[in-house]
Amino acid sequence: MELIDKLEILADAAKYDASCASSGAPKRSSEGKDGIGATNGMGICHSYTPDGRCVSLLKILLTNFCIYDCQYCVNRRTSNVPRARFTVEEVVKLTVDFYLRNYIDGLFLSSGIIQSADYTMEQLVAIARELREVHQFRGYIHLKTIPDADPALIDAAGRYADRLSVNIELPTQDSVQRLAPEKNVHTIKLAMGNIRLKLDEKEAEPKAPKFAPAGQSTQMIVGADASDDQRILTTAETLYGSYKLKRVYYSAFSPIPQSPKSVPLAPPPMLREHRLYQADFLLRGYGFQVNELLPQSGNLALDIDPKLAWALANREHFPMDLNRAEPAMITRIPGIGLRNAKRIVELRRMRQVRYADLARLKCSMKKIAPFIVTADYRPPRDTTPSEALRRSMADVQQQMPLWPELQAA
């Protein structure tokens, strides 16, 4: 098979893996040094086309052959999809050539399982090793690790990769056993735990060898099983606390033609994935807990964002006086983010905050108006029922499905 044909198949097969942000990578450049490539402190574009246009991250699978038969996966053993496999040398050549053509800044590499977990992991490590040691590649590398692989191989991966990821796949052990019987949640968490130990060792001893400086991440599939958003976010909250993950990524399940009967025939609402990301950000950056966002079993609202939903359910905190409120509470006001909350606190040290100040900060005025008090403003109808406010602020957006023919079926 020609290399371009492999690239078309294996780039397309990688689109289902969401965990590929590079924002945690350290700054590193080849300018004035031997080698090629660079990273920067900002997130990079994840989009990719087979001919290399408009990309900054080469996101591919080593192969989409797989000995596992995970029911939710397009590349499962029994799936009738075109198959391809790169050699180690081909992935290295693509990465270097694409960088020299200024198409990419880094590599995201995952793979189906071929022969065994150890053999597959050896191939992934060999690619990263050759890029770093032979070609002196200083760009970003994210390797998807194989949980069943020898821990020594995962340790080696961490020496060459900026970030490692181990996919938890589904939020409950029962779902993993039912839909991915070859996988084991205990083994997945054991691999996460070993990576965390290595990261802790490096943090405690700065002179220790480099190990995955951008940390580790994971991914959960949304809508492949019956788990609701509360279950998904509770699992994410546990993973953040237990394994110090940098990110949990959420990927809306997309059934493909001839999907097995063990998974849904229709995808979940695409907006559900977006709401989970918003809720996840509130957990990581705003101090929220899952039981605040979803005190009972169920899913996040689709018509309003999670912070607005919390504010409408907790009207006793509002309207909030921006000249008196605790900084942590200001961040919980709909329409005010972390940066503007900090600016508001800095401003009120010099003088009282006024309504026009918020407009100058480019806050979402429509959203914040019912929830704030300033030196010259108070909501004219601060007793408006929450349901009425919700209707006035609802904003449902449509997202394009991966398989539109299944959406229409």
Side-chain angles (χ1 to χ4, degrees):
M1 183 181 290
E2 294 293 327
L3 187 59
I4 187 65
D5 297 323
K6 293 182 182 181
L7 182 59
E8 184 172 359
I9 291 171
L10 295 173
D12 183 70
K15 70 185 179 185
Y16 298 95
D17 204 314
S19 40
C20 56
S22 69
S23 56
K27 290 187 178 180
R28 184 171 57 234
S29 174
S30 58
E31 185 176 356
K33 305 176 184 176
D34 293 333
I36 59 174
T39 61
N40 55 51
M42 299 179 292
I44 63 177
C45 176
H46 309 150
S47 61
Y48 177 77
T49 56
D51 62 0
R53 289 173 301 167
C54 300
V55 297
S56 52
L57 184 66
L58 178 60
K59 182 182 176 186
I60 54 175
L61 301 185
L62 175 64
T63 180
N64 65 340
F65 287 101
C66 193
I67 61 175
Y68 291 173
D69 200 33
C70 304
Q71 299 297 287
Y72 49 80
C73 182
V74 66
N75 300 312
R76 65 185 181 278
R77 184 177 65 242
T78 56
S79 179
N80 185 24
V81 295
R83 305 283 181 172
R85 177 181 173 183
F86 286 126
T87 64
V88 169
E89 293 73 21
E90 286 173 334
V91 176
V92 171
K93 175 178 171 55
L94 282 170
T95 304
V96 173
D97 287 353
F98 275 31
Y99 174 76
L100 292 176
R101 288 172 172 80
N102 202 32
Y103 290 160
I104 62 168
D105 299 306
L107 171 68
F108 172 86
L109 184 62
S110 185
S111 182
I113 312 300
I114 46 176
Q115 296 189 25
S116 68
D118 282 351
Y119 176 80
T120 306
M121 198 69 226
E122 286 171 357
Q123 300 289 295
L124 298 177
V125 172
I127 291 167
R129 181 189 298 115
E130 185 167 341
L131 282 170
R132 294 295 196 211
E133 295 184 351
V134 177
H135 296 274
Q136 297 294 300
F137 182 71
R138 299 177 186 275
Y140 173 81
I141 297 178
H142 180 149
L143 290 183
K144 183 60 60 67
T145 59
I146 314 299
D148 292 318
D150 189 317
L153 290 170
I154 297 179
D155 290 350
R159 291 197 293 273
Y160 300 110
D162 292 283
R163 174 168 287 181
L164 300 177
S165 55
V166 185
N167 280 0
I168 194 74
E169 305 289 9
L170 297 164
T172 69
Q173 183 169 340
D174 288 344
S175 293
V176 172
Q177 289 176 343
R178 182 171 61 87
L179 298 177
E182 294 98 340
K183 295 186 176 181
N184 186 295
V185 173
H186 175 73
T187 304
I188 294 170
K189 291 184 176 180
L190 188 63
M192 287 181 177
N194 288 336
I195 293 173
R196 176 184 174 164
L197 288 176
K198 284 290 183 180
L199 293 170
D200 288 344
E201 289 175 8
K202 175 61 180 174
E203 186 177 352
E205 181 47 67
K207 293 184 180 180
K210 186 193 82 166
F211 186 86
Q216 66 170 321
S217 61
T218 193
Q219 174 176 294
M220 276 190 282
I221 299 167
V222 179
D225 66 348
S227 298
D228 61 19
D229 291 350
Q230 188 198 51
R231 177 70 266 172
I232 292 170
L233 289 171
T234 298
T235 298
E237 190 174 51
T238 300
L239 293 174
Y240 281 127
S242 300
Y243 305 106
K244 294 175 70 173
L245 268 63
K246 292 292 186 180
R247 288 291 303 273
V248 174
Y249 291 88
Y250 307 92
S251 179
F253 173 65
S254 294
I256 63 170
Q258 302 176 344
S259 289
K261 294 181 179 179
S262 54
V263 295
L265 296 178
M270 296 300 289
L271 192 56
R272 183 181 174 193
E273 176 189 300
H274 179 59
R275 295 301 185 211
L276 282 166
Y277 275 115
Q278 290 178 317
D280 185 276
F281 191 48
L282 295 178
L283 298 180
R284 290 184 293 115
Y286 287 74
F288 280 88
Q289 296 182 336
V290 174
N291 59 12
E292 292 181 283
L293 299 175
L294 285 169
Q296 298 177 343
S297 298
N299 291 338
L300 296 163
L302 298 182
D303 58 331
I304 55 175
D305 66 78
K307 198 200 312 192
L308 177 56
W310 176 84
L312 292 175
N314 294 270
R315 294 289 296 281
E316 67 274 13
H317 297 295
F318 304 101
M320 192 179 298
D321 189 338
L322 293 181
N323 289 296
R324 298 175 179 271
E326 291 292 327
M329 289 302 296
I330 294 176
T331 65
R332 294 193 169 211
I333 299 173
I336 297 181
L338 295 174
R339 184 179 300 176
N340 274 342
K342 182 178 179 181
R343 289 169 175 166
I344 289 168
V345 172
E346 290 172 351
L347 176 62
R348 73 185 189 183
R349 291 189 183 126
M350 297 180 288
R351 60 173 175 80
Q352 288 197 319
V353 178
R354 304 178 71 83
Y355 191 75
D357 296 326
L358 304 177
R360 281 192 288 270
L361 291 175
K362 295 182 170 29
C363 294
S364 177
M365 302 306 290
K366 177 183 175 182
K367 188 172 285 188
I368 68 174
F371 299 103
I372 60 163
V373 172
T374 65
D376 60 344
Y377 172 82
R378 185 177 188 90
R381 296 186 300 276
D382 59 7
T383 57
T384 302
S386 293
E387 195 57 40
L389 283 176
R390 177 174 183 155
R391 286 194 300 270
S392 68
M393 296 183 176
D395 181 21
V396 179
Q397 299 179 359
Q398 297 292 326
Q399 296 187 35
M400 295 296 292
L402 289 172
W403 297 94
E405 64 272 20
L406 290 180
Q407 286 278 61

